[in-house]
Amino acid sequence: MFAGVPFIGEGVIHNLSHAGCRVECDRTVQKGSYVTVRLLLPDHTTALIVELAAIRWVREGCFGIEFLRLPAFDQNRLDEFLIDYHGL
């Protein structure tokens, strides 16, 4: 899930990394916008919070976001997830 002014949307995450991800969705967003993101990871815990992310590129049906600010707890969760699930 992602939210910006004045929209809320849902999408599927691809290419998740420490720096960001690609979001597949049918919602129209604008490059350069800032959003808050809640990632539902397959570890079945609470959503991982990205307090601030920037939309860096937009294509038909998807867009790329860069993570700018995550709480320390969520940064640690992301790091552990990437190691456990992707060997990064």
Side-chain angles (χ1 to χ4, degrees):
M1 296 183 343
F2 57 92
V5 178
F7 59 84
I8 294 175
E10 292 185 12
V12 177
I13 300 298
H14 299 278
N15 301 335
L16 180 63
S17 73
H18 296 284
C21 62
R22 178 171 55 97
V23 180
E24 181 183 342
C25 82
D26 56 4
R27 179 91 181 162
T28 301
V29 297
Q30 290 190 343
K31 178 181 172 183
S33 298
Y34 293 94
V35 292
T36 300
V37 180
R38 294 184 182 271
L39 299 176
L40 300 174
L41 300 175
D43 60 6
H44 303 291
T45 61
T46 59
L48 187 144
I49 307 294
V50 179
E51 292 177 341
L52 183 65
I55 298 175
R56 296 299 187 200
W57 55 265
V58 177
R59 294 190 188 122
E60 179 90 20
C62 65
F63 58 93
I65 58 175
E66 176 185 5
F67 301 151
L68 301 176
R69 187 171 57 228
L70 285 82
F73 175 79
D74 289 305
Q75 182 64 60
N76 290 336
R77 272 190 65 207
L78 177 59
D79 293 345
E80 289 175 12
F81 174 79
L82 291 171
I83 289 168
D84 291 346
Y85 286 88
H86 300 293
L88 299 177

